[in-house]
Amino acid sequence: MNLIAPLITPDTTLLDTSFTSKKKLFEHAAELFARTHGLKSADIFTSLFERERLGSTALGHGIAIPHGRIKGLRDACGAFYRVKDPLEFDAPDNLPVTLCFILLVPKDANERHLQILGELAQLFGDEAMRAKMRDAVTPSDLIALIASWSS
């Protein structure tokens, strides 16, 4: 089952973007979700930033999965970022992040939220898949790659 592919679109799949910090990345994501899902950017930024303060969402191998709960959101949604200049994320292996999937879920999400996070961890745990994600040419290519993946 692939819970990830339906969460992203060409508009929420950004390749080779540059940010000076993860705070700037979160600000960009907050604006992106506000524009694409009609949410309040301040709520999104606060949710992502507060979750990150609890502990890094970096997994290692240049991967991070920042996530937050958003009041008023009906269904989970995501944004995929491949950053041009690696970002410091306090990863367990001390490597900076180049692939980032930002996940937003409804405030009261429970089981589905955990299933999506688990699937993201499996997806990003696949070394060959990480290499393919780093080589994808267009957002559509990356979405098709994720859609073809199965755990």
Side-chain angles (χ1 to χ4, degrees):
M1 185 171 189
N2 190 319
L3 300 173
I4 302 164
L7 302 179
I8 54 176
T9 67
D11 291 337
T12 60
T13 304
L14 294 99
L15 305 182
D16 304 323
T17 54
S18 292
F19 301 100
T20 55
S21 67
K22 65 179 164 183
K23 180 180 183 243
K24 294 290 186 192
L25 169 67
F26 291 170
E27 288 171 351
H28 187 277
E31 292 296 325
L32 177 68
F33 284 115
R35 195 172 55 251
T36 58
H37 291 84
L39 302 167
K40 292 182 182 174
S41 63
D43 293 347
I44 298 162
F45 176 80
T46 299
S47 180
L48 293 171
F49 195 77
E50 290 299 317
R51 169 56 191 87
E52 198 68 25
R53 283 181 41 180
L54 294 175
S56 177
T57 55
L59 304 179
H61 301 288
I63 306 297
I65 308 174
H67 50 282
R69 295 176 181 272
I70 306 297
K71 185 177 180 180
L73 184 64
R74 298 186 101 129
D75 294 307
C77 57
F80 185 99
Y81 285 83
R82 184 175 72 199
V83 296
K84 189 177 198 174
D85 303 310
L87 293 173
E88 181 53 48
F89 244 89
D90 299 319
D93 60 3
N94 294 316
L95 291 176
V97 165
T98 55
L99 299 176
C100 184
F101 192 100
I102 298 178
L103 174 66
L104 300 182
V105 296
K107 190 79 169 168
D108 57 356
N110 45 32
E111 185 63 30
R112 185 161 177 79
H113 173 217
L114 296 176
Q115 288 174 335
I116 294 168
L117 284 173
E119 197 168 285
L120 282 165
Q122 287 181 336
L123 171 74
F124 285 124
D126 182 332
E127 187 177 346
M129 189 61 152
R130 288 193 309 267
K132 289 176 186 174
M133 286 188 269
R134 287 186 174 104
D135 292 340
V137 176
T138 68
S140 295
D141 292 343
L142 195 129
I143 292 167
L145 179 65
I146 290 173
S148 71
W149 177 83
S150 61
S151 56

